[in-house]
Each structure stands twice: as C-alpha cells, then as structure tokens.
Amino acid sequence: MEEKSVVLRDKRKIVLEDDNDILISLISGDKIIHAFHVSCPPGGYGGGMLLLSPSEQYLLFSFYSGESEEACMIFRIHASCLESVHASGYLQGEGASYVFSDSEEFLYQALPVSVGPWYEEDAETDENENLYFKFCEINILNIKSKTVERHYVHVFLSDDWEEDTWEEPPRLTEITDNRSLCMAMPWGREELGLPLDDVVIFRPGERKKS
C-alpha cells in the first residue's frame, strides 16, 4: 500500500497529492505551511509513496514510472519548509524498498530486477555451470556526500525451484546496530553483515549435479 501521508510527532502532517500535479505539502492543523512542487519526471510518473526517517529529520519520496523504473527524492524536514537534498534519476527495476541507517547517514535501497516469474531458461550460468539470477541491487546512498555504492544480489536455483516461487519481491526490513542489514526474501528472512560484499550470493536450496 502506498503511503500518501505521514504524521510527525509534533502533529504536523506531510501529504503527497499526485492526481494531477505532484505536490508534497507540510501541514500544521488546517494550514499549509509549505508546498513543494515536483516536476513530472522525463520518464513519466506512475505513482509514489512517502517514508519518514526514524528521527523525522528526513522524508523519502519514492516513485515509479510505470515502465519498470524507480526513483526517489530526499527532503530535510524543517520547522517551516521541506528542503530537497537529493534526487535520483530513474533506475531499471520495480518494487523498491528502503531503510535508513541508525545514524541516518545512509539510505539503503533494495531494487528488484523484476517481480517474476523467473523462468529457468532466462537464468545465467556461472563458471561451474550453476544457474543463477541477477535478482536485485542493493544501493547505498551517503546522504551527505551524495555518493552511491551499488551491490548486486545473485540467487542460485534449487532443485525444487518453480518459476512462481519468487514472485514476492525482496524487501528491506531493518538495520541492526549498524552491523547487519535484514531482508525479507521470498524464502524467508536473511541477515547480511555490513559492509556488504560487492556481490551478495543466496542459495535457498542446493541444486544437485546431474
């Protein structure tokens, strides 16, 4: 479900209106304190959602084109306005999820390549002839420096694999003590130690050699 509004601890609200223009408003009581107009992205706009950082210092506006592309904007929340501090372009993928680091220095994004189905004939082969999919990216944005680290998730096929098994997209759930990144995967919960490897490998079930 797409969150179109969030409520701050001081009772102010931030509301996304995107039926026509794309407008993000900071509201106190019945009064609009500040309204930020977002230009329609060149790739089009299919919808979006809002997410607060735990301390409510930042607001994330995540949106998609409707053509398997995802992007986001980050705002710093002030007393009387929203300040844009980062805007990404569209990246190929769909069903992105996000989590802020404990310090809110970093924003983590899991960006699935697809939501399936995953057909065996589309799988890639490693040097040992094992089949795998490039399942998703994990992108880490340093909010202050605006730099991004990209990591890639490879999932190896198991013997009981079926193409509809992984239709539930991976989802970031939390960061624990800045030491591990937790993900809800189609086959269950996974916990990844930080910092991440360049390529993260999952083997939900070992595939027997023929």
Side-chain angles (χ1 to χ4, degrees), residues 16 28 35 39-40 52 57 61 77 80 84 87 97 107-108 115 120 131 135 148 152 156 162 176 180 193 198-199 205:
L16 167 65
S28 180
S39 298
C40 186
L52 282 174
Q57 176 182 195
F61 171 41
I77 303 171
S80 60
S84 176
S97 61
L107 176 69
Y108 288 73
V115 293
E120 185 168 341
L131 298 176
F135 197 55
V148 178
Y152 302 92
F156 283 77
E162 296 179 5
T176 305
S180 60
D198 290 342
V199 178

Side-chain angles (χ1 to χ4, degrees), residues 157-170:
L157 279 65
S158 61
D159 283 320
D160 59 357
W161 172 84
E162 296 179 5
E163 62 239 23
D164 295 333
T165 301
W166 299 342
E167 285 197 346
E168 184 68 26

Side-chain angles (χ1 to χ4, degrees), residues 40-54:
C40 186
Y45 179 81
M49 58 166 282
L50 303 178
L51 175 70
L52 282 174
S53 69

Side-chain angles (χ1 to χ4, degrees), residues 7-13 27-28 56 79:
V7 180
L8 305 177
R9 283 188 283 269
D10 63 8
K11 306 304 182 184
R12 289 180 299 162
K13 291 194 303 182
I27 300 171
S28 180
E56 301 184 352

Side-chain angles (χ1 to χ4, degrees), residues 29-136:
D30 295 328
K31 181 181 178 183
I32 296 176
I33 303 172
H34 176 80
F36 191 99
H37 182 268
V38 179
S39 298
C40 186
Y45 179 81
M49 58 166 282
L50 303 178
L51 175 70
L52 282 174
S53 69
S55 75
E56 301 184 352
Q57 176 182 195
Y58 294 112
L59 173 76
L60 172 72
F61 171 41
S62 169
F63 56 96
Y64 56 91
S65 68
E67 299 292 335
S68 298
E69 296 169 316
E70 298 259 354
C72 70
M73 296 180 69
I74 299 175
F75 298 88
R76 188 186 298 275
I77 303 171
H78 296 285
S80 60
C81 70
L82 300 172
E83 175 194 3
S84 176
V85 296
H86 174 76
S88 77
Y90 275 129
L91 296 173
Q92 198 70 34
E94 51 189 313
S97 61
Y98 299 85
V99 65
F100 286 89
S101 65
D102 295 342
S103 65
E104 301 187 3
E105 182 179 358
F106 300 100
L107 176 69
Y108 288 73
Q109 177 201 57
L111 181 61
V113 172
S114 170
V115 293
W118 298 86
Y119 295 109
E120 185 168 341
E121 55 265 30
D122 296 330
E124 302 195 33
T125 305
D126 70 4
E127 65 276 9
N128 298 314
E129 299 187 356
N130 296 310
L131 298 176
Y132 72 94
F133 289 110
K134 293 179 178 176
F135 197 55
C136 74

